[in-house]
């Protein structure tokens, strides 16, 4: 719990327990000398032994905690030794009864569950008996240890609840950090792809188109120009052709590899690859569409995410994908016959790792003014529908 915001609280509680136990042990020894108890020397010896065993166990627990090694048997032996020393100290001096209170917390920590409660009951009974034999049985001698045991149980339960809450909070914080890192990485990748696609479109619409026009004009001029001027025109045309080829090569390199020959072949290849890898039939129905590069990239990533979620979680035996287009939108529909899920629960539990893929797909589409629709129910399969508006202008021309 070193990274928990509640770590100072736990540290303070442990320090308080150390101080309380050592202080009460010192009080018992000093009290024995103050009242001139005949067993004062033995009380001093047992008090020192009690504190020494306690500090040795606390140091060993701290060392084992830092190294990640924990020995349950050693902890039980340690608490048993402390209990035995306390019983002897209690038998020598009635003031040793005060030490049972910090021992209650140790029982609850070292012996979780019924074992800790049983140890508290036994030591409480022993404290009442020892006080009665030393000072005579009285209401205060019975009520005192019982109240101490009850308070220790309540505080111990509150401590456990606080610790569980801190552990859960740490888990959620760690998961949030991982999710933010994944989202940031996805956004960086999407930004890089979008910028590459933008550059490809700009080069295509400006440099490539200009070189193509220059080449056509020089070809026409070559036919009407006599020698030796025609040779210079021919050389200029060939230079323009070489530059156009280089420009198209740059455009191809800026375009995602899978989309080199269009979205439909990329969807078919991805479906076949996943089918071969997971042994689940993936049927893709997609006609070649003239779409902006940003739209193609988004739909390809949506298909990748939907396939990944289905293969990992749906336990499906068949997956289908259909790419269609109408006058205003292009749609990608991915269906499976898997076990399905409660869509409302998945959206509500947005911090879960399984829901992050859906969240990422939805954000990718929203950045392009698109929508993601999920239809699913337990044992009814799942249908994921991604819709994107068609763009016009220079982006559509690319």
């Amino acid at each position: 719990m070193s990274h928990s915001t509640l770590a100072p609280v736990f540290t303070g509680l442990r320090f308080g327990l150390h101080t309380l136990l050592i202080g009460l042990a010192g009080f018992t020894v000093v009290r024995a000398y103050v009242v001139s108890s005949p067993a004062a020397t033995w009380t001093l010896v047992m008090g020192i032994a009690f504190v020494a065993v306690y500090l040795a166990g606390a140091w060993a627990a701290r060392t084992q905690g830092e190294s990640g090694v924990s020995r349950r048997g050693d902890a039980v032996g340690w608490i048993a030794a402390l209990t035995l020393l306390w019983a002897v100290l209690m038998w020598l001096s009635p003031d040793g009864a005060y030490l049972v209170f910090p021992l209650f917390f140790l029982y609850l920590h070292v012996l979780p569950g019924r074992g800790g409660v049983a140890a508290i009951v036994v030591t409480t009974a022993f404290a009442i008996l020892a006080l009665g034999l030393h000072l005579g049985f009285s209401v205060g001698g019975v009520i005192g240890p019982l109240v101490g045991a009850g308070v220790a149980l309540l505080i111990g339960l509150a401590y456990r609840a606080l610790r569980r809450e801190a552990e859960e909070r740490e888990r959620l914080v760690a998961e949030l950090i991982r999710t933010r890192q994944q989202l940031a990485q996805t956004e960086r990748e999407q930004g890089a792809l979008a910028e590459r696609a933008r550059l490809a479109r700009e080069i295509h619409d400006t440099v490539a188109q200009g070189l193509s026009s220059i080449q056509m004009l020089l070809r026409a001029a070559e036919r009407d120009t006599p020698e030796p001027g025609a040779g210079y025109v021919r050389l200029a045309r060939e230079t323009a052709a070489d530059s156009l080829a280089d420009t198209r090569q740059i455009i191809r390199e800026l375009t995602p590899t899978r989309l080199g020959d269009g979205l439909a072949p990329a969807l078919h290849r991805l479906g076949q690859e996943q089918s071969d890898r997971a042994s689940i039939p993936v049927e893709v129905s997609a006609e070649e569409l003239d779409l902006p590069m940003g739209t193609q990239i988004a739909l390809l990533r949506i298909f990748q995410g939907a396939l990944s979620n289905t293969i990992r979680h749906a336990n499906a035996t068949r997956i289908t994908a259909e790419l269609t287009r109408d006058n205003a939108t292009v749609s990608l529909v991915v269906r499976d016959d898997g076990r399905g899920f409660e869509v409302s629960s998945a959206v509500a539990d947005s911090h879960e790792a399984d829901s992050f893929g859906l969240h990422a797909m939805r954000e990718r589409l929203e950045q392009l003014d698109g929508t993601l629709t999920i239809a699913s129910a337990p044992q009814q399969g799942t249908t994921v529908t991604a819709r994107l508006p068609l763009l016009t202008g220079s982006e559509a021309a690319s």
Side-chain angles (χ1 to χ4, degrees):
M1 301 296 296
S2 60
H3 299 289
S4 173
T5 55
L6 293 176
V9 176
F10 297 134
T11 301
L13 289 174
R14 285 193 293 268
F15 180 77
L17 181 61
H18 299 336
T19 304
L20 178 64
L21 188 141
I22 296 173
L24 289 176
F27 171 79
T28 302
V29 173
V30 171
R31 176 72 174 168
Y33 280 97
V34 169
V35 300
S36 300
S37 171
T41 302
W42 282 108
T43 302
L44 174 62
V45 172
M46 298 308 299
I48 293 174
F50 181 85
V51 172
V53 171
Y54 174 77
L55 292 177
W59 177 82
R62 180 183 179 88
T63 303
Q64 291 175 358
E66 291 176 352
S67 62
V69 178
S70 178
R71 294 188 178 91
R72 176 85 174 168
D74 292 347
V76 174
W78 172 65
I79 199 67
L82 278 178
T83 302
L84 179 60
L85 290 171
W86 167 79
V88 175
L89 191 61
M90 177 73 189
W91 198 259
L92 293 172
S93 172
D95 296 308
Y98 294 112
L99 285 168
V100 75
F101 189 69
L103 280 178
F104 288 157
F105 296 105
L106 293 179
Y107 293 144
L108 292 174
H109 181 68
V110 177
L111 305 171
R114 296 180 180 178
V117 176
I120 290 175
V121 172
V122 172
T123 51
T124 301
F126 182 83
I128 293 172
L129 176 62
L131 285 174
L133 294 176
H134 276 290
L135 306 174
F137 290 96
S138 64
V139 175
V142 175
I143 295 298
L146 289 177
V147 171
V151 171
L153 280 172
L154 292 176
I155 295 177
L157 292 175
Y159 176 84
R160 285 188 188 176
L162 183 64
R163 191 177 185 88
R164 284 195 300 268
E165 179 69 19
E167 291 173 350
E168 177 66 14
R169 187 195 236 162
E170 280 299 296
R171 187 188 68 82
L172 292 176
V173 169
E175 188 171 317
L176 176 61
I177 292 174
R178 288 195 303 271
T179 302
R180 288 179 61 183
Q181 291 173 344
Q182 292 174 353
L183 182 58
Q185 179 64 24
T186 300
E187 289 178 346
R188 285 194 295 270
E189 293 176 354
Q190 182 176 350
L193 288 172
E195 181 62 17
R196 289 164 63 94
R198 187 189 69 81
L199 288 174
R201 291 193 301 270
E202 292 297 328
I203 294 173
H204 174 271
D205 292 342
T206 57
V207 180
Q209 296 289 0
L211 288 173
S212 179
S213 299
I214 291 172
Q215 186 182 10
M216 293 175 60
L217 292 172
L218 290 174
R219 187 184 298 276
E222 183 183 355
R223 289 195 302 266
D224 300 332
T225 303
E227 294 293 346
Y232 294 109
V233 174
R234 186 182 308 110
L235 179 60
R237 179 180 60 78
E238 292 173 353
T239 302
D242 294 339
S243 298
L244 179 60
D246 292 339
T247 301
R248 286 173 174 169
Q249 177 63 30
I250 293 174
I251 294 173
R252 284 192 295 270
E253 291 175 355
L254 289 173
T255 304
T257 305
R258 286 186 178 274
L259 294 171
D261 52 357
L263 177 60
L267 295 177
H268 283 286
R269 280 197 304 272
L270 181 58
Q272 186 61 47
E273 290 173 4
Q274 295 290 351
S275 178
D276 295 340
R277 185 178 301 119
S279 300
I280 301 176
V282 180
E283 300 177 7
V284 178
S285 173
E287 57 179 303
E288 186 56 52
L289 302 176
D290 183 17
L291 300 173
M293 183 56 63
T295 301
Q296 295 187 46
I297 294 173
L299 292 175
L300 179 62
R301 299 301 181 228
I302 296 299
F303 187 43
Q304 285 178 319
L307 278 183
S308 176
N309 285 343
T310 300
I311 292 172
R312 286 191 294 124
H313 305 298
N315 195 26
T317 60
R318 183 170 178 267
I319 304 171
T320 62
E322 183 179 6
L323 178 68
T324 59
R325 171 179 178 171
D326 57 27
N327 293 332
T329 61
V330 58
S331 302
L332 176 65
V333 182
V334 183
R335 298 185 179 89
D336 68 72
D337 60 354
R339 58 188 178 188
F341 60 93
E342 290 288 348
V343 178
S344 58
S345 300
V347 173
D349 298 336
S350 58
H351 63 273
E352 296 292 337
D354 292 351
S355 301
F356 174 70
L358 301 178
H359 182 67
M361 287 191 288
R362 193 183 304 277
E363 282 199 344
R364 182 185 291 275
L365 288 171
E366 288 176 353
Q367 290 176 355
L368 297 175
D369 297 327
T371 59
L372 180 71
T373 305
I374 303 170
S376 183
Q379 309 305 322
Q380 298 296 320
T382 302
T383 301
V384 178
T385 305
R387 291 187 176 88
L388 283 170
L390 293 176
L391 302 177
T392 58
S394 61
E395 194 169 22
S398 64

